[in-house]
Amino acid sequence: AARLGGGPVRCYEPSMGERADRRLALIRGFADAIADGSLTVHYQPTVSLEARTVLGVEALARWDHPELGALLPDEFVPVLEATGQITGLTLFVLDEAVAAARRWLDRGLRLSVAVNVSAGALDDSFPPSVAEALARHGVPPELLTLEVTESGVSAEREHAMPALRRLSVMGCRLAVDDFGTGQSSLAHLRRLPVDQVKIDKSFVLGMGTEAGDAAVVRAIVEMGHTLGLTVVAEGVEDGAVRVALAEMGCDVAQGYLVSRPLSAGHLDQWLDSLVR
Ligand code: C2E
Ligand code: CA
Ligand code: CA
Ligand code: CA
């Protein structure tokens, strides 16, 4: 634990027992979190690098745990994936995101919404759940993008293919997330019904300082366009990187430079500030 005074201040590092306790608190608290409103969805805008218009938002889960405080998905998503509770999270975020898309349509804003889907949630029951949510809220399927990580669609994950094909036939858009971090080959990507690649933010964040990262980004943009895909760069934090991406022909930017992920209410304010 952290100490003050005397020697050097040590960072707080939870013991193995404390980590196991946190894990249990997440597993046990998840069902209540949806019911009591401590699980919410934040939205981060994506913008066109050419036209500089807002194209849509990515839905990102947030959990304000009654005892543990504000939690980020990097902590709770792996736990929920391990327990099989990830489908519950995915369906909750999907419903919130599609409902939000409907509200924006009602205000005359045609924004697409992207939802992250773990490979474990991509079973045969998922496409019908998506169809049901879209129909219930009256949202056209082409406004929904499903983001699956590169490792989630790798050749070893054949089980996800039928669901991905079904979603594509329904008219939903598919994005390969965290691209560049896995080992999916060009040949494999061509076999998938994918519309978008999202370049992993680690490469985009390094573009300004690492020549190698800029080269990787350029190669992904070119490869993506060769395959007829829309290329998205995430983790765009500074203006010089944005300019470099636009020069490379990258299509879409997402990152703190444009906006942090915002609650639905704050996103509405942000959108209002653009319209005026
Ligand atoms: P991701 O899908 O790669 O989402 C992008 C992450 O990058 C988000 O972190 C976002 O807040 C962060 N980010 C956005 N712009 C910038 C930037 O300019 N600089 C930096 N340094 N970071 C930026 P977040 O919200 O903590 O989510 C982390 C990951 O958790 C997501 O990565 C996604 O894989 C997963 N996740 C989030 N929500 C869900 C969900 O509902 N279901 C599933 N299965 N996974 C989710
Ligand atoms: Ca994502
Ligand atoms: Ca990503
Ligand atoms: Ca990520």
Side-chain angles (χ1 to χ4, degrees):
R3 287 202 190 85
L4 287 176
V9 179
R10 301 231 332 269
C11 282
Y12 173 79
E13 254 192 57
S15 69
M16 239 158 76
E18 284 169 306
R19 276 208 300 273
D21 287 348
R22 273 181 89 86
R23 210 183 137 81
L24 261 181
L26 297 181
I27 295 168
R28 293 207 182 113
F30 179 67
D32 289 339
I34 289 188
D36 69 17
S38 55
L39 201 70
T40 59
V41 178
H42 280 201
Y43 300 92
Q44 186 176 33
T46 53
V47 295
S48 154
L49 276 163
E50 200 183 26
R52 293 184 157 238
T53 50
V54 182
L55 299 172
V57 294
E58 177 176 6
L60 295 159
R62 295 290 181 265
W63 187 350
D64 197 5
H65 193 278
E67 284 125 43
L68 304 176
L71 305 175
L72 285 172
D74 283 335
E75 179 174 11
F76 60 82
V77 164
V79 175
L80 300 178
E81 283 175 339
T83 61
Q85 291 166 298
I86 193 68
T87 297
L89 176 75
T90 307
L91 295 180
F92 169 75
V93 174
L94 172 76
D95 197 75
E96 291 283 308
V98 173
R102 180 68 251 171
R103 287 196 304 273
W104 295 320
L105 279 175
D106 292 340
R107 293 175 46 197
L109 294 170
R110 202 176 162 80
L111 298 180
S112 72
V113 290
V115 171
N116 293 284
V117 186
S118 303
L122 276 173
D123 56 20
D124 291 347
S125 70
F126 186 63
S129 301
V130 171
E132 189 274 328
L134 291 168
R136 184 158 36 83
H137 294 288
V139 168
E142 62 270 20
L143 285 185
L144 177 66
T145 300
L146 301 159
E147 297 191 2
V148 186
T149 58
E150 189 183 4
S151 53
V153 295
S154 69
E156 307 89 74
R157 301 290 196 122
E158 279 297 327
H159 83 268
M161 293 309 142
L164 289 175
R165 293 215 177 83
R166 186 89 210 94
L167 290 162
S168 173
V169 167
M170 280 164 49
C172 296
R173 304 283 185 255
L174 298 180
V176 177
D177 206 350
D178 300 350
F179 194 80
T181 57
Q183 45 273 298
S184 66
S185 66
L186 216 137
H188 180 66
L189 209 62
R190 275 187 53 209
R191 290 178 34 226
L192 298 171
V194 170
D195 304 280
Q196 271 182 31
V197 275
K198 293 189 84 169
I199 307 172
D200 191 69
K201 60 178 174 284
S202 60
F203 303 109
V204 179
L205 288 168
M207 270 175 75
T209 48
E210 304 284 330
D213 285 343
V216 168
V217 170
R218 186 183 295 278
I220 297 175
V221 170
E222 281 166 14
M223 180 219 66
H225 286 167
T226 301
L227 295 176
L229 307 175
T230 300
V231 183
V232 183
E234 60 175 29
V236 180
E237 293 188 357
D238 76 63
V241 165
R242 180 196 192 130
V243 168
L245 286 165
E247 280 170 5
M248 288 178 190
C250 183
D251 304 291
V252 181
Q254 175 181 0
Y256 298 164
L257 179 70
V258 178
S259 168
R260 290 191 173 253
L262 302 170
S263 66
H266 284 118
L267 184 82
D268 282 343
Q269 288 175 18
W270 187 85
L271 291 167
D272 283 344
S273 75
L274 299 177
V275 173
R276 315 260 125 131

